[in-house]
Coordinates of all heavy atoms in Angstrom, one line a residue:
M66 N -10.1 -10.5 10.5 CA -9.3 -11.3 9.7 C -9.3 -12.8 10.2 O -9.0 -13.0 11.3 CB -7.9 -10.8 9.7 CG -7.0 -11.4 8.6 SD -5.3 -10.8 8.5 CE -5.3 -9.2 9.3
G67 N -9.7 -13.7 9.3 CA -9.8 -15.1 9.7 C -8.5 -15.8 9.8 O -7.4 -15.3 9.3
K68 N -8.5 -17.0 10.4 CA -7.2 -17.8 10.5 C -6.7 -18.1 9.1 O -7.5 -18.5 8.2 CB -7.5 -19.1 11.3 CG -6.3 -19.8 11.5 CD -6.6 -21.1 12.3 CE -5.3 -21.8 12.6 NZ -5.5 -23.0 13.3
G69 N -5.4 -17.9 8.9 CA -4.8 -18.2 7.6 C -4.9 -17.0 6.6 O -4.5 -17.1 5.5
A70 N -5.6 -15.9 7.0 CA -5.7 -14.8 6.1 C -4.4 -14.1 5.9 O -3.5 -14.1 6.8 CB -6.7 -13.8 6.7
F71 N -4.2 -13.5 4.8 CA -2.9 -12.9 4.4 C -3.1 -11.4 4.7 O -4.2 -10.8 4.5 CB -2.5 -13.1 3.0 CG -2.2 -14.6 2.7 CD1 -3.1 -15.4 2.2 CD2 -0.9 -15.0 3.0 CE1 -2.8 -16.7 1.9 CE2 -0.6 -16.3 2.8 CZ -1.5 -17.2 2.3
I72 N -2.0 -10.7 5.1 CA -2.0 -9.3 5.2 C -1.0 -8.7 4.3 O 0.0 -9.3 3.9 CB -1.7 -8.9 6.7 CG1 -0.3 -9.4 7.1 CG2 -2.8 -9.3 7.6 CD1 0.2 -8.9 8.4
K73 N -1.3 -7.5 3.8 CA -0.4 -6.7 2.9 C 0.6 -6.0 3.8 O 0.3 -5.3 4.7 CB -1.3 -5.8 2.1 CG -0.4 -4.9 1.1 CD 0.2 -5.8 0.0 CE 1.0 -4.9 -0.9 NZ 1.8 -5.7 -1.8
M74 N 1.9 -6.3 3.5 CA 2.9 -5.6 4.2 C 3.7 -4.7 3.2 O 3.8 -5.0 2.0 CB 3.9 -6.6 4.8 CG 3.4 -7.5 5.8 SD 2.8 -6.6 7.3 CE 4.2 -5.8 7.9
Y75 N 4.1 -3.6 3.7 CA 4.9 -2.6 2.8 C 6.3 -2.6 3.3 O 6.6 -2.6 4.5 CB 4.2 -1.2 2.9 CG 2.9 -1.2 2.3 CD1 1.7 -1.4 3.1 CD2 2.7 -1.2 0.9 CE1 0.5 -1.4 2.5 CE2 1.4 -1.2 0.3 CZ 0.3 -1.3 1.1 OH -0.9 -1.3 0.6
I76 N 7.3 -2.5 2.4 CA 8.7 -2.5 2.7 C 9.0 -1.3 3.7 O 9.8 -1.5 4.6 CB 9.5 -2.3 1.4 CG1 9.3 -3.5 0.5 CG2 11.0 -2.2 1.7 CD1 9.7 -4.9 1.0
R77 N 8.4 -0.2 3.5 CA 8.6 1.0 4.3 C 8.3 0.6 5.8 O 9.1 1.0 6.7 CB 7.7 2.1 3.9 CG 7.8 3.4 4.8 CD 6.8 4.4 4.4 NE 6.8 4.8 3.0 CZ 7.6 5.7 2.4 NH1 8.5 6.3 3.2 NH2 7.5 6.0 1.1
E78 N 7.3 -0.1 6.0 CA 6.9 -0.5 7.4 C 7.9 -1.4 8.1 O 8.0 -1.4 9.3 CB 5.5 -1.2 7.4 CG 4.4 -0.3 6.9 CD 3.1 -1.1 6.7 OE1 3.1 -2.3 7.0 OE2 2.2 -0.6 6.1
L79 N 8.6 -2.2 7.3 CA 9.5 -3.2 7.8 C 11.0 -2.8 7.7 O 11.8 -3.6 8.2 CB 9.3 -4.5 7.1 CG 7.8 -5.1 7.2 CD1 7.7 -6.3 6.3 CD2 7.6 -5.5 8.7
W80 N 11.3 -1.7 7.0 CA 12.7 -1.4 6.7 C 13.6 -1.5 7.9 O 14.7 -2.1 7.8 CB 12.8 0.0 6.1 CG 14.1 0.3 5.5 CD1 15.1 1.0 6.1 CD2 14.7 -0.3 4.3 NE1 16.2 1.0 5.3 CE2 16.0 0.2 4.2 CE3 14.2 -1.1 3.3 CZ2 16.8 -0.1 3.1 CZ3 15.0 -1.4 2.2 CH2 16.3 -0.9 2.1
D81 N 13.3 -0.9 9.0 CA 14.2 -0.9 10.1 C 14.4 -2.3 10.8 O 15.3 -2.5 11.6 CB 13.8 0.1 11.2 CG 13.9 1.5 10.7 OD1 14.8 1.8 9.8 OD2 13.1 2.4 11.1
R82 N 13.5 -3.2 10.5 CA 13.5 -4.6 11.0 C 14.3 -5.5 10.1 O 14.6 -6.7 10.5 CB 12.1 -5.1 11.3 CG 11.5 -4.4 12.4 CD 10.2 -5.1 12.8 NE 9.1 -4.2 12.4 CZ 7.8 -4.5 12.3 NH1 7.5 -5.7 12.5 NH2 6.9 -3.6 12.0
L83 N 14.6 -5.1 8.9 CA 15.3 -6.0 7.9 C 16.8 -5.9 8.2 O 17.3 -4.9 8.5 CB 15.0 -5.5 6.5 CG 13.6 -5.5 6.0 CD1 13.5 -4.8 4.6 CD2 13.1 -6.9 5.9
D84 N 17.4 -7.1 8.0 CA 18.9 -7.1 8.2 C 19.6 -6.4 7.1 O 19.0 -6.1 6.0 CB 19.4 -8.6 8.3 CG 19.1 -9.4 7.1 OD1 19.8 -9.1 6.1 OD2 18.3 -10.3 7.1
S85 N 20.8 -6.0 7.3 CA 21.5 -5.1 6.3 C 21.7 -5.8 5.0 O 21.7 -5.2 4.0 CB 22.9 -4.7 6.9 OG 23.7 -5.8 7.2
A86 N 21.9 -7.2 5.0 CA 22.0 -7.9 3.7 C 20.7 -7.8 2.9 O 20.8 -7.6 1.6 CB 22.4 -9.3 3.9
T87 N 19.6 -7.9 3.5 CA 18.3 -7.8 2.8 C 18.1 -6.3 2.3 O 17.7 -6.1 1.2 CB 17.1 -8.2 3.8 OG1 17.4 -9.6 4.2 CG2 15.8 -8.1 3.1
Q88 N 18.4 -5.3 3.2 CA 18.3 -4.0 2.8 C 19.2 -3.7 1.5 O 18.8 -3.0 0.6 CB 18.7 -3.0 3.9 CG 17.7 -3.0 5.0 CD 18.1 -2.0 6.1 OE1 19.3 -1.6 6.2 NE2 17.2 -1.7 7.0
K89 N 20.4 -4.2 1.6 CA 21.3 -4.0 0.4 C 20.7 -4.7 -0.8 O 20.8 -4.1 -1.9 CB 22.7 -4.6 0.8 CG 23.7 -4.4 -0.4 CD 25.1 -4.8 0.0 CE 26.1 -4.7 -1.1 NZ 25.7 -4.0 -2.4
W90 N 20.2 -5.9 -0.7 CA 19.6 -6.6 -1.9 C 18.5 -5.7 -2.5 O 18.4 -5.5 -3.7 CB 19.1 -8.0 -1.5 CG 18.8 -8.8 -2.8 CD1 19.6 -9.6 -3.4 CD2 17.5 -8.7 -3.5 NE1 18.9 -10.1 -4.5 CE2 17.7 -9.6 -4.6 CE3 16.3 -8.0 -3.3 CZ2 16.6 -9.8 -5.5 CZ3 15.3 -8.2 -4.2 CH2 15.5 -9.1 -5.3
L91 N 17.7 -5.2 -1.6 CA 16.5 -4.4 -2.1 C 17.0 -3.1 -2.7 O 16.4 -2.7 -3.8 CB 15.6 -4.1 -0.9 CG 14.8 -5.3 -0.4 CD1 14.1 -5.0 0.9 CD2 13.8 -5.8 -1.4
T92 N 18.0 -2.5 -2.2 CA 18.5 -1.2 -2.8 C 19.3 -1.5 -4.1 O 19.4 -0.7 -4.9 CB 19.3 -0.3 -1.8 OG1 20.4 -1.1 -1.3 CG2 18.4 0.2 -0.7
D93 N 19.9 -2.7 -4.1 CA 20.6 -3.0 -5.4 C 19.7 -3.5 -6.5 O 20.1 -3.5 -7.6 CB 21.6 -4.2 -5.1 CG 22.8 -3.8 -4.3 OD1 23.1 -2.6 -4.1 OD2 23.6 -4.7 -3.8
N94 N 18.5 -3.8 -6.1 CA 17.4 -4.3 -7.1 C 16.2 -3.5 -7.0 O 15.1 -4.0 -6.8 CB 17.2 -5.7 -6.9 CG 18.4 -6.6 -7.1 OD1 18.8 -6.9 -8.2 ND2 19.0 -7.0 -6.0
P95 N 16.2 -2.1 -7.1 CA 15.0 -1.3 -6.8 C 13.9 -1.5 -7.8 O 12.8 -1.0 -7.6 CB 15.6 0.1 -6.8 CG 16.8 0.1 -7.7 CD 17.4 -1.3 -7.5
G96 N 14.1 -2.1 -8.9 CA 13.1 -2.2 -10.0 C 12.4 -3.6 -9.9 O 11.5 -3.9 -10.7
C97 N 12.8 -4.4 -9.0 CA 12.3 -5.8 -8.9 C 10.8 -5.7 -8.4 O 10.6 -5.3 -7.3 CB 13.2 -6.6 -7.9 SG 12.7 -8.3 -7.8
Q98 N 9.9 -6.1 -9.2 CA 8.5 -6.0 -8.9 C 8.0 -7.2 -8.1 O 7.0 -7.1 -7.4 CB 7.7 -5.8 -10.1 CG 8.0 -4.5 -10.8 CD 7.2 -4.3 -12.0 OE1 6.5 -5.2 -12.5 NE2 7.2 -3.0 -12.5
I99 N 8.7 -8.4 -8.3 CA 8.3 -9.6 -7.6 C 9.5 -10.1 -6.8 O 10.5 -10.4 -7.5 CB 7.7 -10.7 -8.5 CG1 6.5 -10.1 -9.2 CG2 7.4 -11.9 -7.8 CD1 5.9 -11.0 -10.3
L100 N 9.4 -10.2 -5.5 CA 10.6 -10.6 -4.8 C 10.7 -12.2 -4.8 O 9.7 -12.9 -4.7 CB 10.5 -10.2 -3.3 CG 10.5 -8.7 -3.0 CD1 10.4 -8.5 -1.5 CD2 11.8 -8.1 -3.6
P101 N 11.9 -12.7 -5.0 CA 12.1 -14.1 -4.9 C 11.7 -14.7 -3.6 O 11.6 -14.0 -2.6 CB 13.6 -14.3 -5.1 CG 14.1 -13.0 -5.6 CD 13.2 -11.9 -5.2
R102 N 11.4 -16.0 -3.6 CA 11.0 -16.7 -2.3 C 11.9 -16.4 -1.1 O 11.4 -16.2 0.0 CB 10.9 -18.2 -2.6 CG 9.5 -18.7 -2.7 CD 9.4 -20.2 -2.7 NE 10.5 -20.9 -3.2 CZ 10.5 -21.7 -4.2 NH1 9.4 -22.0 -4.8 NH2 11.6 -22.3 -4.6
A103 N 13.2 -16.5 -1.3 CA 14.1 -16.3 -0.2 C 14.0 -14.9 0.4 O 14.0 -14.7 1.6 CB 15.6 -16.5 -0.7
M104 N 13.8 -13.9 -0.5 CA 13.6 -12.5 0.0 C 12.3 -12.4 0.7 O 12.2 -11.7 1.7 CB 13.7 -11.5 -1.2 CG 14.9 -10.7 -1.4 SD 15.8 -10.1 -0.1 CE 17.3 -11.1 -0.3
S105 N 11.3 -13.0 0.1 CA 9.9 -12.9 0.7 C 9.9 -13.6 2.1 O 9.3 -13.1 3.0 CB 8.9 -13.7 -0.2 OG 8.8 -13.0 -1.4
A106 N 10.7 -14.7 2.3 CA 10.8 -15.3 3.6 C 11.5 -14.4 4.6 O 11.1 -14.4 5.7 CB 11.6 -16.6 3.4
K107 N 12.5 -13.7 4.2 CA 13.2 -12.8 5.1 C 12.3 -11.6 5.5 O 12.3 -11.2 6.7 CB 14.5 -12.2 4.4 CG 15.6 -13.2 4.3 CD 16.8 -12.6 3.7 CE 17.9 -13.6 3.6 NZ 19.2 -12.9 3.4
I108 N 11.5 -11.2 4.6 CA 10.5 -10.1 4.9 C 9.4 -10.6 5.9 O 9.1 -9.9 6.8 CB 9.9 -9.5 3.6 CG1 11.1 -8.7 3.0 CG2 8.7 -8.6 3.9 CD1 10.8 -8.2 1.6
S109 N 9.0 -11.9 5.6 CA 8.0 -12.5 6.5 C 8.6 -12.6 8.0 O 7.9 -12.3 8.9 CB 7.6 -13.8 6.0 OG 6.7 -14.5 6.9
T110 N 9.9 -13.0 8.1 CA 10.6 -13.1 9.3 C 10.6 -11.7 10.0 O 10.3 -11.6 11.2 CB 12.0 -13.6 9.2 OG1 11.9 -14.9 8.6 CG2 12.7 -13.7 10.5
A111 N 10.9 -10.7 9.2 CA 11.0 -9.3 9.8 C 9.6 -8.9 10.2 O 9.5 -8.0 11.1 CB 11.5 -8.3 8.8
A112 N 8.6 -9.4 9.6 CA 7.2 -9.0 10.0 C 6.7 -9.9 11.1 O 5.5 -9.9 11.4 CB 6.3 -9.2 8.8
G113 N 7.6 -10.6 11.8 CA 7.2 -11.4 13.0 C 6.6 -12.7 12.6 O 5.8 -13.2 13.4
G114 N 6.8 -13.1 11.4 CA 6.3 -14.4 11.0 C 4.8 -14.3 10.5 O 4.2 -15.3 10.3
R115 N 4.3 -13.1 10.5 CA 2.9 -12.9 10.0 C 2.7 -13.5 8.6 O 3.7 -13.5 7.8 CB 2.5 -11.5 10.1 CG 2.4 -11.0 11.6 CD 1.9 -9.6 11.7 NE 3.2 -8.8 11.5 CZ 3.2 -7.5 11.5 NH1 2.1 -6.8 11.6 NH2 4.3 -6.8 11.4
N116 N 1.5 -13.8 8.3 CA 1.2 -14.4 7.0 C 1.1 -13.3 6.0 O 0.0 -12.8 5.7 CB -0.2 -15.1 7.2 CG -0.1 -16.5 6.7 OD1 0.9 -17.0 6.2 ND2 -1.3 -17.2 6.7
I117 N 2.2 -12.9 5.4 CA 2.2 -11.8 4.5 C 1.7 -12.3 3.1 O 1.8 -13.5 2.8 CB 3.6 -11.1 4.3 CG1 4.6 -12.1 3.8 CG2 4.0 -10.4 5.5 CD1 5.9 -11.5 3.3
E118 N 1.1 -11.4 2.3 CA 0.5 -11.7 1.1 C 1.6 -12.1 0.1 O 2.6 -11.4 -0.1 CB -0.2 -10.5 0.5 CG -1.1 -10.7 -0.6 CD -1.9 -9.5 -1.0 OE1 -2.6 -9.0 -0.1 OE2 -1.7 -9.0 -2.1
R119 N 1.5 -13.3 -0.5 CA 2.4 -13.8 -1.5 C 1.7 -14.5 -2.6 O 0.5 -14.9 -2.5 CB 3.4 -14.9 -0.9 CG 4.2 -14.4 0.2 CD 5.2 -15.4 0.6 NE 5.5 -15.3 2.1 CZ 6.4 -16.0 2.7 NH1 7.0 -17.0 2.1 NH2 6.6 -15.8 4.0
D120 N 2.4 -14.7 -3.8 CA 1.7 -15.4 -4.9 C 1.8 -16.9 -4.7 O 2.3 -17.4 -3.7 CB 2.3 -14.9 -6.2 CG 3.7 -15.3 -6.5 OD1 4.2 -16.2 -5.7 OD2 4.3 -14.8 -7.5
S121 N 1.3 -17.7 -5.7 CA 1.3 -19.1 -5.5 C 2.7 -19.7 -5.5 O 2.8 -20.9 -5.1 CB 0.5 -19.7 -6.7 OG 1.1 -19.4 -7.9
H122 N 3.7 -19.0 -5.8 CA 5.1 -19.5 -5.8 C 5.8 -19.0 -4.6 O 7.0 -19.3 -4.4 CB 5.9 -19.0 -7.1 CG 5.2 -19.4 -8.3 ND1 5.3 -20.7 -8.8 CD2 4.5 -18.7 -9.2 CE1 4.6 -20.8 -9.9 NE2 4.2 -19.6 -10.2
G123 N 5.1 -18.4 -3.6 CA 5.7 -17.9 -2.4 C 6.5 -16.6 -2.5 O 7.3 -16.2 -1.7
Q124 N 6.3 -15.9 -3.7 CA 6.9 -14.6 -3.9 C 6.0 -13.5 -3.5 O 4.8 -13.5 -3.7 CB 7.3 -14.6 -5.4 CG 8.2 -15.7 -5.8 CD 8.4 -15.7 -7.3 OE1 7.4 -15.6 -8.1 NE2 9.6 -15.9 -7.8
M125 N 6.7 -12.4 -3.0 CA 5.9 -11.2 -2.6 C 5.9 -10.3 -3.8 O 6.9 -9.9 -4.4 CB 6.6 -10.6 -1.5 CG 5.9 -9.4 -0.9 SD 6.8 -8.8 0.6 CE 6.0 -7.3 0.9
V126 N 4.7 -9.8 -4.2 CA 4.5 -8.9 -5.2 C 4.5 -7.5 -4.6 O 3.8 -7.2 -3.7 CB 3.2 -9.1 -6.0 CG1 3.0 -8.0 -7.1 CG2 3.1 -10.5 -6.6
L127 N 5.4 -6.6 -5.1 CA 5.6 -5.3 -4.5 C 4.6 -4.3 -5.1 O 4.3 -4.3 -6.3 CB 7.0 -4.8 -4.7 CG 8.1 -5.7 -4.0 CD1 9.5 -5.1 -4.3 CD2 7.9 -5.8 -2.5
S128 N 4.2 -3.4 -4.2 CA 3.3 -2.3 -4.7 C 4.1 -1.2 -5.3 O 5.3 -1.1 -5.2 CB 2.5 -1.8 -3.5 OG 3.4 -1.1 -2.6
A129 N 3.4 -0.3 -6.0 CA 4.0 0.9 -6.5 C 4.7 1.7 -5.4 O 5.8 2.3 -5.6 CB 3.0 1.8 -7.3
E130 N 4.0 1.8 -4.2 CA 4.6 2.4 -3.1 C 5.9 1.8 -2.7 O 6.9 2.5 -2.3 CB 3.6 2.4 -1.9 CG 4.1 3.1 -0.7 CD 3.0 3.0 0.5 OE1 1.8 3.1 0.2 OE2 3.5 2.9 1.6
D131 N 6.0 0.4 -2.6 CA 7.2 -0.3 -2.3 C 8.3 0.1 -3.3 O 9.5 0.3 -2.9 CB 7.0 -1.8 -2.3 CG 6.2 -2.3 -1.2 OD1 6.2 -1.7 -0.1 OD2 5.5 -3.3 -1.4
L132 N 8.0 0.1 -4.6 CA 9.0 0.4 -5.6 C 9.5 1.8 -5.5 O 10.7 2.0 -5.6 CB 8.4 0.1 -7.0 CG 8.1 -1.3 -7.3 CD1 7.3 -1.4 -8.6 CD2 9.3 -2.2 -7.3
D133 N 8.6 2.8 -5.2 CA 9.0 4.2 -5.0 C 10.0 4.3 -3.8 O 11.0 5.0 -3.8 CB 7.9 5.1 -4.8 CG 7.0 5.3 -6.1 OD1 7.6 5.0 -7.2 OD2 5.9 5.7 -6.0
F134 N 9.6 3.6 -2.7 CA 10.4 3.6 -1.5 C 11.8 3.0 -1.8 O 12.8 3.6 -1.4 CB 9.7 2.8 -0.4 CG 10.5 2.8 0.9 CD1 10.6 3.8 1.7 CD2 11.2 1.6 1.2 CE1 11.3 3.8 2.9 CE2 12.0 1.5 2.4 CZ 12.0 2.6 3.2
M135 N 11.9 1.9 -2.5 CA 13.2 1.3 -2.7 C 14.0 2.1 -3.7 O 15.2 2.2 -3.5 CB 13.0 -0.2 -3.3 CG 12.5 -1.1 -2.2 SD 12.1 -2.8 -2.7 CE 12.7 -3.0 -4.4
R136 N 13.4 2.7 -4.6 CA 14.2 3.6 -5.5 C 14.7 4.8 -4.8 O 15.9 5.2 -5.0 CB 13.3 4.1 -6.7 CG 13.1 3.0 -7.7 CD 12.3 3.6 -8.9 NE 11.8 2.5 -9.7 CZ 10.6 2.1 -9.9 NH1 9.6 2.8 -9.3 NH2 10.2 1.1 -10.6
A137 N 14.0 5.4 -3.9 CA 14.4 6.5 -3.1 C 15.6 6.1 -2.2 O 16.6 6.8 -2.1 CB 13.3 7.1 -2.2
K138 N 15.5 4.9 -1.5 CA 16.6 4.4 -0.7 C 17.8 4.2 -1.5 O 18.9 4.5 -1.1 CB 16.2 3.1 0.0 CG 15.2 3.3 1.1 CD 16.0 3.9 2.3 CE 15.1 4.0 3.6 NZ 15.8 4.6 4.6
A139 N 17.7 3.6 -2.7 CA 18.8 3.3 -3.6 C 19.5 4.6 -4.0 O 20.7 4.7 -4.1 CB 18.4 2.5 -4.8
T140 N 18.7 5.6 -4.4 CA 19.2 6.9 -4.8 C 20.0 7.6 -3.6 O 21.1 8.1 -3.8 CB 18.1 7.8 -5.3 OG1 17.5 7.2 -6.4 CG2 18.6 9.2 -5.7
A141 N 19.4 7.5 -2.4 CA 20.0 8.1 -1.3 C 21.3 7.4 -1.0 O 22.3 8.0 -0.6 CB 19.1 8.0 -0.1
Q142 N 21.3 6.1 -1.1 CA 22.5 5.3 -0.8 C 23.6 5.6 -1.8 O 24.8 5.8 -1.5 CB 22.2 3.8 -0.8 CG 23.4 2.9 -0.5 CD 23.0 1.4 -0.6 OE1 21.9 1.1 -1.0 NE2 24.0 0.6 -0.2
A143 N 23.3 5.7 -3.1 CA 24.2 6.0 -4.1 C 24.8 7.4 -3.9 O 26.0 7.6 -4.1 CB 23.6 5.9 -5.5
S144 N 24.0 8.3 -3.5 CA 24.5 9.7 -3.3 C 25.5 9.7 -2.1 O 26.5 10.4 -2.2 CB 23.3 10.6 -2.9 OG 22.5 10.8 -4.0
S145 N 25.2 9.0 -1.1 CA 26.1 9.0 0.1 C 27.4 8.3 -0.2 O 28.5 8.6 0.2 CB 25.5 8.4 1.3 OG 25.4 7.0 1.2
V146 N 27.4 7.2 -1.1 CA 28.6 6.5 -1.5 C 29.5 7.4 -2.3 O 30.7 7.5 -2.1 CB 28.2 5.2 -2.2 CG1 29.5 4.6 -2.9 CG2 27.6 4.2 -1.3
E147 N 28.9 8.1 -3.3 CA 29.6 9.0 -4.1 C 30.3 10.1 -3.3 O 31.4 10.4 -3.5 CB 28.7 9.6 -5.2 CG 28.3 8.7 -6.2 CD 27.3 9.2 -7.2 OE1 27.1 10.5 -7.2 OE2 26.6 8.5 -7.9
A148 N 29.6 10.6 -2.3 CA 30.1 11.7 -1.4 C 31.3 11.2 -0.6 O 32.3 11.8 -0.5 CB 29.0 12.3 -0.5
R149 N 31.2 10.0 -0.1 CA 32.3 9.4 0.7 C 33.5 9.1 -0.2 O 34.6 9.4 0.2 CB 31.8 8.1 1.3 CG 31.1 8.4 2.6 CD 30.8 7.1 3.3 NE 29.6 6.6 2.7 CZ 29.3 5.3 2.7 NH1 30.1 4.4 3.1 NH2 28.1 4.9 2.1
I150 N 33.3 8.7 -1.4 CA 34.4 8.4 -2.3 C 35.1 9.7 -2.7 O 36.3 9.9 -2.6 CB 34.0 7.7 -3.6 CG1 33.6 6.2 -3.2 CG2 35.1 7.7 -4.6 CD1 32.9 5.5 -4.3
F151 N 34.3 10.8 -3.0 CA 34.9 12.1 -3.3 C 35.6 12.6 -2.1 O 36.7 13.1 -2.2 CB 33.7 13.0 -3.7 CG 34.2 14.4 -4.0 CD1 34.9 14.7 -5.2 CD2 34.1 15.4 -3.1 CE1 35.3 15.9 -5.6 CE2 34.5 16.7 -3.4 CZ 35.2 17.0 -4.6
D152 N 35.0 12.6 -0.9 CA 35.7 13.1 0.3 C 37.0 12.4 0.6 O 37.9 13.0 1.0 CB 34.7 13.0 1.5 CG 33.6 14.0 1.4 OD1 33.6 14.9 0.6 OD2 32.6 13.8 2.1
A153 N 37.0 11.1 0.3 CA 38.2 10.3 0.6 C 39.4 10.7 -0.2 O 40.5 10.6 0.1 CB 38.0 8.9 0.5
T154 N 39.1 11.3 -1.5 CA 40.2 11.6 -2.4 C 40.7 13.1 -2.2 O 41.6 13.5 -2.8 CB 39.8 11.4 -3.8 OG1 38.6 12.3 -4.1 CG2 39.5 10.0 -4.1
E155 N 40.0 13.8 -1.3 CA 40.3 15.2 -1.0 C 41.5 15.4 -0.2 O 42.1 16.4 -0.1 CB 39.1 15.9 -0.3 CG 37.9 16.1 -1.3 CD 38.3 17.2 -2.3 OE1 38.7 18.3 -2.0 OE2 38.0 16.9 -3.5
T156 N 42.0 14.3 0.5 CA 43.1 14.5 1.4 C 44.4 14.7 0.7 O 44.7 14.5 -0.4 CB 43.3 13.3 2.3 OG1 43.4 12.1 1.5 CG2 42.1 13.2 3.2

């Protein structure tokens, strides 16, 4: 890979390195196919500043694999929130 070359990053690979606010944004917006510049910058930071693949506007285009991963995370998060709310009313 030459200098300045871009690499493809996947959300799954970086998930544990993302801050909780970024994870929340991604799970709140699981159908977002193109990440805004600010989100793309946060993901680049999580990737160690590597030159991740972005469009001409600085936005990261998500793969089908990324979208599936984010939907699964959002579904899991929604299930755990519902369970906690239900359990809290059981007392």
Side-chain angles (χ1 to χ4, degrees):
M66 187 176 344
K68 185 178 180 181
F71 293 98
I72 57 173
K73 179 69 179 164
M74 294 301 300
Y75 295 96
I76 300 297
R77 176 186 309 273
E78 297 169 7
L79 299 171
W80 188 257
D81 293 331
R82 291 188 247 165
L83 296 173
D84 62 70
S85 60
T87 303
Q88 288 178 347
K89 180 170 176 14
W90 190 94
L91 291 169
T92 56
D93 286 348
N94 299 281
C97 184
Q98 296 180 347
I99 301 174
L100 295 181
R102 252 189 333 235
M104 257 327 109
S105 297
K107 288 182 177 195
I108 291 173
S109 179
T110 299
R115 289 180 276 177
N116 233 1
I117 62 169
E118 193 175 299
R119 300 186 209 183
D120 68 12
S121 61
H122 302 287
Q124 300 168 317
M125 186 177 169
V126 179
L127 298 179
S128 67
E130 181 180 323
D131 288 329
L132 295 172
D133 289 343
F134 177 77
M135 288 175 12
R136 285 184 194 112
K138 284 289 188 183
T140 300
Q142 181 181 6
S144 295
S145 75
V146 168
E147 288 173 17
R149 278 186 275 148
I150 291 171
F151 179 77
D152 290 344
T154 60
E155 286 292 309
T156 56

